[in-house]
Structures are given as C-alpha cells and as structure tokens.
Amino acid sequence: MAGTKTSGGEGDFEDLLPTMAWKLGGEGLITELCNGFRALMDEDRGLITFESLKKNSAVLGLQDLSDDELRSMLREGDLDGDGALDQMEFCVLMFRLSPELMEESQACLQRALLQEIGKSHYYY
C-alpha cells in the first residue's frame, strides 16, 4: 500500500496516513498522531498555535508552506473557534486531509452497519 499523491492549493503532498494506518494499525496510528500533535504544540498552552505550527512545521515537512497556508490549516481544523488546535481537533484534521483514509473509514463503517442490520433480522 503506497501513499496517495494529493493536489491541494499551492502544492502537492503525499498522503502517508493510509500507509501508516495499514502498517501500525488503529492504535499505533493514533499514538503517532498524538506524537505529531506534541511535536507541533505550544508547550505552555498545550495547543497548536500559529506560532508553534510555524516554528515546528519542518517536523511534518511543512516548512515550505506560507503563513497564509498555515493559518488556513489552523482555521480548517479549529472546531471550537479558539484560534488553536487541541489534540482532538488535530487528529480530526489529519483524517480529513487524508481522502483515501476517509474513504476506507467510510467503507468500513458501511460494512459494520450492514453486518449489524443483518444480525438484527435474525431476531425477528
């Protein structure tokens, strides 16, 4: 399983999240996402701020993104409107930025729902 090339806005990036999920499993992927969050967060606030993202962006290979692109990324992931990303918002954003992983997750959910619906028919 290889990463998917994704074209977005100013440039292309390789979506490695599906490969990580396949190699690490669900729990391992979440652990790695949490490690990524900690690498980018502002130590004092425990959140990813614009300043901490700009300072630490090379950790994720984002050093070539402009300030506007970094701000846009923060806005896209900021679900509670506080101008920063907490750990949950960061993880949700990483999944949303991975189209292949979102498709795989949706297919898995559909299979699980169909399986549950099939089980419920046996009881009637």
Side-chain angles (χ1 to χ4, degrees):
M1 174 178 277
T4 303
K5 284 278 191 187
T6 305
S7 180
E10 299 295 318
D12 295 337
F13 70 93
E14 188 170 0
D15 180 6
L16 297 176
L17 213 51
T19 303
M20 289 174 61
W22 182 73
K23 288 184 177 182
L24 301 173
E27 191 171 314
L29 177 62
I30 296 300
T31 299
E32 286 305 309
L33 286 174
C34 291
N35 290 339
F37 173 80
R38 284 191 292 280
L40 294 173
M41 77 176 189
D42 176 305
E43 297 266 336
D44 296 329
R45 294 186 58 197
L47 299 169
I48 297 175
T49 63
F50 170 74
E51 292 78 18
S52 70
L53 182 59
K54 184 174 174 78
K55 176 182 168 190
N56 301 314
S57 60
V59 171
L60 294 180
L62 303 175
Q63 65 273 8
D64 294 333
L65 293 181
S66 70
D67 286 359
D68 285 342
E69 290 170 314
L70 293 174
R71 282 189 181 94
S72 177
M73 184 184 297
L74 279 174
R75 276 191 305 273
E76 185 174 341
D78 183 15
L79 301 176
D80 62 10
D82 66 355
L85 301 180
D86 62 27
Q87 187 167 305
M88 181 61 68
E89 289 171 324
F90 174 75
C91 290
V92 168
L93 178 62
M94 292 300 99
F95 272 82
R96 286 179 50 211
L97 292 176
S98 175
E100 184 178 335
L101 195 57
M102 287 296 290
E103 289 171 9
E104 289 177 21
S105 297
Q106 184 178 20
C108 184
L109 178 60
Q110 287 175 343
R111 284 191 303 272
L113 288 172
L114 289 173
Q115 189 174 35
E116 285 302 311
I117 290 170
K119 284 181 187 177
S120 67
H121 287 289
Y122 291 116
Y123 296 113
Y124 296 108

